[in-house]
Amino acid sequence: MQLYTHPQSRGQTLMPLLQELQIQDQIEIIQVSWEDLQQPEYRAMNPLGKVPLLVDGPVFISETPAIFAYLADHFFEQGLAPALDDPQRGAYFKWLFFCHGPLTEWIDLSNFQISQAQLEQHKRGLGMGLPEDLMAFLKQGLQQANPYLLGERMSAADLYLAYWLAYAIALKAIPYLEEFRPYLQWTAQRPSLSQVIWFQQLDQH
Ligand SMILES: N[C@@H](CCC(=O)N[C@@H](CS)C(=O)NCC(=O)O)C(=O)O
């Protein structure tokens, strides 16, 4: 398999996953430049012209949570994905897609100085609703985490959510609420996450 990525992209969220799955030597990491993404050869693989992109033979997988889910299933023996008949698979996908949808939607929107009045006006069309709804979703989920989202065993969804949370807190896109601290302090102890700069900066918030 080949993973096309860029060091300043959300492809970085996949690095702890590769480490936890112990597959760093099985995936060829191809660092591309932003210019490479404009090339027809790259666009043929991903017409969006975005990274990350995982290539597994004839299969081209863009969209970060799809790569998370694909790799966690492919290397199922490492225990990062619930089994097909495990009811927790529902919560697992909920968190993967929550990060890809509402959470990153808000991180993007928070860069654009959009007023609360504009958000109120468009809230029905926004996948995230209002920022306070997003916070309520996160607070409830993280208060129920014990210590991980699915209980005692960490899943790929924890690696994805914790990364985005630490990043969003560093960007000040979301506050570092008391309700988030036990979960983030716990996940930050994983060697795969403790090396990530956003986790190292958490103490400053
Ligand atoms: N929906 C994609 C979005 C990927 C994405 O936005 N990638 C950005 C970097 S974080 C990118 O490739 N930007 C390069 C460009 O637009 O030229 C995913 O979540 O994987």
Side-chain angles (χ1 to χ4, degrees), residues 14 37 47 77 80 82 100 108 114 116 118 126-127 147 156 166 179 188 192:
L14 287 160
L37 303 180
E77 67 284 358
L80 291 187
H100 191 58
D108 290 340
I114 295 173
Q116 182 71 15
Q118 284 173 301
L126 288 174
E179 292 89 339
S192 65

Side-chain angles (χ1 to χ4, degrees), residues 8-10 34 37-38 48-52 63-65 100 160:
Q8 280 146 21
S9 76
R10 63 195 78 197
W34 298 131
L37 303 180
Q38 310 303 325
L48 272 183
K50 298 274 183 185
V51 282
E63 307 319 306
T64 313
H100 191 58
Y160 195 40

Side-chain angles (χ1 to χ4, degrees), residues 175-201:
Y176 193 12
L177 299 179
E178 279 306 317
E179 292 89 339
F180 301 169
R181 287 176 192 260
Y183 177 77
L184 278 175
Q185 284 163 356
W186 182 263
T187 47
Q189 287 173 33
R190 302 289 301 199
S192 65
L193 294 175
S194 64
Q195 306 154 9
V196 176
I197 183 156
W198 317 121
F199 286 87
Q200 292 167 356
Q201 290 177 358

Side-chain angles (χ1 to χ4, degrees), residues 35-51:
E35 291 72 38
D36 292 336
L37 303 180
Q38 310 303 325
Q39 300 308 314
E41 297 78 16
Y42 190 82
R43 294 274 168 156
M45 296 192 292
N46 181 6
L48 272 183
K50 298 274 183 185
V51 282

